[in-house]
Amino acid sequence: MNALVWQLARRYRNTRHTSGFIRFISASSTWGIGLGVAILILALSVMNGFEQALKQRLLAVIPHVELESVENNLQQWQSKLPRLSAVKGVIAGAPYIKANGMLRAGSQIKAVQLRGIDLQLEQQLSDFATYLQSGSLETLAAEQVVLGSGIAAALGLRVGDNVQLMLPRFTDDGRLASYSNRVLSVSAIIGVGGQLDYSQAWLGLDALADFLAMPEDTVHGLAFRLDDIFAAPAMARQLGQLSDDYVYLLDWFRSQGHVYQDIQMVRAILYLVLSLVIAVACFNIVATLVMAVREKESDIAILLTMGMRPAALIKTFMLLGWLNGLVGTLGGAVVGVLLAHYIEPIFAFVTSTIGKSLLDPSIYFIDYVPSLLLWQDVVVTVLLALGLSLLSTLYPAFRASRVQPANVLGQR
């Protein structure tokens, strides 16, 4: 009986006697399912790629947790940093000083966020040396500065050029009193990607402390790198409780969490929308099978009078409709995997052809389309499409089993 079910389903699918309209609806459902599966696999791979890029690029450069002083600067940080860095889950720690200033080169002026660092400790905390475009990060002298690539491009600077740093000075009540000038030499240029390249400049810790007239051995805060980036809020609270100072508890969720949340939100929306696209394409199978049942009523009546069980007839039409979903799903999965694998070179080719990046590096933290294909996404998508295809065959198949042979054959 199973052999007969398979033979009938294959015959009804491949027969040339079916009307052209039914064949068109059947083909459209197959193509719709394939397109939905391919785009869903591609979209999930791109979202996985953005999440991976966020972890490997942006979160490899910015601190995961920061303890920043609220009122007074942190004093004697050399004795506090080892104790906090020894907490389980902390990989490394480093001091920092932050300030806002202006860089001037010729007639060009750029507002920047200055970060004073201890170069040796900072390289344990951050991987920003990995994104070195030019220059050297072996040392960071008092009159040297490391610039983001966006700042360097905006000011037209290269390694070895001089740039004027203007730092504001404020009165005790917060009013601008004056500003100080320093001439610095560009020692290196960093290109991480995104807004960081257009806003961040690094100076030596002692140099920036001297520029700001800060007391000796004081810093604005301590930054930490964690082995589990998603534990940052909890680790910030734990480190804050161990600290003897009155500090703000900052973590990367506060500064860059919106990027991660946007990725997750877009992933959920895409999955929902494209799943509905697949569902709509699958339910075209309903229309195809309903019309096929009406067209094959006489064949169904003859099969029933010859002793074919209704259950076997249900299996026949379920298999007939499911074959459309199977072909579309497998074809879409192959196309989706290929697109996910080659989307990066395709995007690079399009970018080079039009001569302009479609992702503005001053807004996004990368200027390319990343892709990370996870086979569990492929499996879930394929199972979703096959399940919806099978579900859409139930009503037409049960309707076929309800055909009354006496009524159908009596009208012939």
Side-chain angles (χ1 to χ4, degrees), residues 98-132:
K98 293 198 302 186
N100 294 321
M102 304 285 288
L103 291 179
R104 178 179 178 180
S107 60
Q108 301 296 322
I109 299 178
K110 178 72 174 176
V112 295
Q113 296 176 354
L114 302 171
R115 189 175 182 92
I117 59 172
D118 182 302
L119 186 60
Q120 302 301 321
L121 294 176
E122 189 70 20
Q123 289 184 339
Q124 300 176 18
L125 176 78
S126 170
D127 294 335
F128 74 105
T130 307
Y131 303 101
L132 179 67

XYZ file of all heavy atoms in Angstrom, residues 98-132:
271
model
N 40.007 60.311 31.540
C 39.202 60.745 30.400
C 39.094 62.266 30.387
O 39.034 62.906 31.437
C 37.793 60.133 30.474
C 37.762 58.634 30.289
C 36.382 58.134 29.931
C 35.346 58.496 30.954
N 34.028 57.873 30.660
N 39.036 62.807 29.180
C 38.847 64.250 29.018
C 38.350 64.509 27.610
O 38.543 63.692 26.703
C 40.151 64.998 29.274
N 37.696 65.625 27.447
C 37.259 66.074 26.130
C 38.144 67.226 25.680
O 38.541 68.079 26.491
C 35.802 66.542 26.164
C 34.848 65.402 26.462
O 35.033 64.288 25.982
N 33.826 65.671 27.253
N 38.469 67.261 24.414
C 39.337 68.317 23.901
C 39.109 68.545 22.426
O 38.208 67.966 21.811
N 39.947 69.389 21.858
C 39.890 69.718 20.435
C 41.266 69.496 19.842
O 42.291 69.869 20.448
C 39.464 71.172 20.238
C 38.151 71.553 20.889
S 36.718 70.914 20.018
C 36.741 71.953 18.564
N 41.306 68.894 18.662
C 42.539 68.740 17.909
C 42.483 69.670 16.707
O 41.470 69.729 15.997
C 42.718 67.296 17.456
C 43.013 66.258 18.545
C 43.145 64.874 17.935
C 44.280 66.619 19.318
N 43.590 70.335 16.474
C 43.651 71.282 15.356
C 44.871 70.986 14.500
O 45.980 70.849 14.999
C 43.717 72.720 15.885
C 43.821 73.765 14.784
C 43.862 75.150 15.382
N 44.000 76.173 14.334
C 44.063 77.470 14.557
N 43.998 77.916 15.807
N 44.193 78.326 13.567
N 44.633 70.883 13.197
C 45.708 70.712 12.225
C 45.432 71.669 11.076
O 44.501 71.459 10.300
C 45.773 69.274 11.728
N 46.223 72.744 10.988
C 45.945 73.759 9.972
C 44.641 74.466 10.280
O 44.434 74.987 11.376
N 43.750 74.452 9.309
C 42.445 75.096 9.499
C 41.369 74.111 9.943
O 40.217 74.506 10.149
C 41.998 75.765 8.193
O 41.886 74.801 7.148
N 41.736 72.844 10.072
C 40.771 71.809 10.454
C 40.772 71.604 11.964
O 41.834 71.530 12.592
C 41.095 70.478 9.758
C 41.102 70.551 8.237
C 39.736 70.877 7.684
O 38.712 70.412 8.196
N 39.705 71.680 6.624
N 39.575 71.527 12.539
C 39.413 71.315 13.977
C 38.462 70.143 14.188
O 37.438 70.025 13.505
C 38.873 72.572 14.683
C 39.850 73.739 14.515
C 38.630 72.305 16.165
C 39.376 75.027 15.139
N 38.799 69.287 15.142
C 37.988 68.098 15.414
C 37.852 67.905 16.915
O 38.849 67.902 17.652
C 38.647 66.863 14.776
C 37.943 65.553 15.026
C 36.658 65.450 14.244
C 36.045 64.067 14.405
N 34.734 63.955 13.729
N 36.604 67.743 17.381
C 36.371 67.422 18.796
C 36.679 65.943 19.028
O 36.297 65.089 18.219
C 34.931 67.726 19.170
N 37.359 65.640 20.131
C 37.770 64.270 20.412
C 37.551 63.947 21.880
O 37.474 64.844 22.732
C 39.256 64.024 20.056
C 39.489 64.169 18.567
C 40.158 64.970 20.847
N 37.456 62.637 22.136
C 37.446 62.131 23.500
C 38.842 61.586 23.795
O 39.298 60.646 23.129
C 36.399 61.035 23.660
C 34.970 61.503 23.447
C 33.982 60.358 23.512
O 34.355 59.191 23.615
N 32.698 60.693 23.440
N 39.506 62.172 24.751
C 40.871 61.767 25.091
C 40.828 60.706 26.177
O 40.054 60.812 27.133
C 41.672 62.980 25.572
C 41.777 64.155 24.583
C 42.405 65.355 25.265
C 42.576 63.744 23.360
N 41.676 59.726 26.038
C 41.770 58.656 27.045
C 43.236 58.446 27.375
O 44.027 58.041 26.508
C 41.140 57.359 26.536
C 41.008 56.286 27.622
C 40.272 55.066 27.080
N 40.078 54.046 28.101
C 39.005 53.949 28.868
N 38.026 54.818 28.730
N 38.890 52.997 29.777
N 43.587 58.751 28.610
C 44.938 58.523 29.071
C 45.094 57.093 29.546
O 44.296 56.607 30.348
N 46.126 56.406 29.055
C 46.291 54.978 29.338
C 47.734 54.675 29.731
O 48.667 55.394 29.357
C 45.904 54.113 28.113
C 46.774 54.491 26.910
C 44.432 54.255 27.792
C 46.595 53.573 25.710
N 47.880 53.601 30.490
C 49.178 52.976 30.701
C 49.318 51.931 29.608
O 48.604 50.932 29.602
C 49.236 52.335 32.088
C 50.593 51.716 32.390
O 51.024 50.835 31.625
O 51.209 52.105 33.397
N 50.204 52.177 28.656
C 50.241 51.377 27.425
C 50.417 49.889 27.710
O 49.757 49.049 27.083
C 51.352 51.889 26.507
C 51.414 51.233 25.128
C 50.127 51.457 24.367
C 52.609 51.779 24.334
N 51.294 49.541 28.635
C 51.543 48.130 28.907
C 50.306 47.450 29.494
O 49.927 46.350 29.082
C 52.738 47.975 29.871
C 54.019 48.603 29.351
C 54.450 48.013 28.020
O 54.340 46.803 27.789
N 54.948 48.865 27.121
N 49.655 48.101 30.459
C 48.450 47.525 31.053
C 47.283 47.546 30.074
O 46.466 46.624 30.049
C 48.083 48.289 32.326
C 49.067 48.177 33.494
C 48.619 49.073 34.648
C 49.188 46.736 33.955
N 47.201 48.593 29.253
C 46.092 48.716 28.305
C 46.140 47.621 27.246
O 45.098 47.133 26.789
C 46.130 50.091 27.635
C 44.920 50.413 26.786
C 43.661 50.645 27.604
O 43.783 50.921 28.818
O 42.559 50.544 27.027
N 47.318 47.205 26.840
C 47.427 46.154 25.833
C 47.005 44.790 26.376
O 46.670 43.898 25.607
C 48.864 46.090 25.297
C 49.213 47.285 24.413
C 50.584 47.188 23.798
O 51.448 46.465 24.294
N 50.820 47.911 22.719
N 47.014 44.619 27.707
C 46.440 43.417 28.304
C 44.926 43.501 28.380
O 44.236 42.484 28.338
C 47.014 43.213 29.710
C 48.519 43.051 29.766
C 49.036 42.960 31.181
O 48.287 42.688 32.127
N 50.327 43.190 31.365
N 44.418 44.731 28.462
C 42.983 44.947 28.591
C 42.291 44.984 27.229
O 41.171 44.489 27.071
C 42.737 46.272 29.327
C 41.288 46.715 29.485
C 40.618 45.929 30.600
C 41.221 48.206 29.776
N 42.949 45.561 26.239
C 42.317 45.837 24.949
C 43.155 45.263 23.810
O 44.386 45.167 23.916
C 42.139 47.349 24.770
O 41.754 47.657 23.461
N 42.493 44.907 22.739
C 43.173 44.408 21.544
C 43.305 45.489 20.476
O 43.414 45.178 19.293
C 42.393 43.221 20.944
C 42.384 42.014 21.867
O 43.305 41.896 22.693
O 41.452 41.198 21.764
N 43.282 46.762 20.889
C 43.288 47.812 19.876
C 44.586 47.822 19.069
O 44.615 48.307 17.941
C 43.034 49.177 20.522
C 44.185 49.741 21.301
C 44.934 50.782 20.784
C 44.510 49.250 22.549
C 45.992 51.319 21.503
C 45.551 49.776 23.271
C 46.307 50.814 22.747
N 45.668 47.233 19.603
C 46.909 47.148 18.827
C 46.754 46.249 17.601
O 47.495 46.377 16.632
C 48.038 46.641 19.720
N 45.771 45.335 17.659
C 45.519 44.455 16.513
C 45.069 45.248 15.299
O 45.281 44.826 14.157
C 44.436 43.417 16.875
O 44.829 42.747 18.074
C 44.248 42.407 15.762
N 44.431 46.386 15.530
C 43.878 47.187 14.443
C 44.770 48.375 14.114
O 44.308 49.391 13.611
C 42.474 47.663 14.834
C 41.561 46.506 15.174
C 41.310 46.174 16.502
C 40.999 45.732 14.178
C 40.488 45.089 16.820
C 40.179 44.657 14.481
C 39.936 44.353 15.809
O 39.132 43.279 16.116
N 46.073 48.219 14.389
C 47.042 49.254 14.064
C 47.162 49.389 12.545
O 47.462 48.426 11.848
C 48.401 48.908 14.683
C 49.546 49.885 14.427
C 49.278 51.204 15.122
C 50.867 49.274 14.896
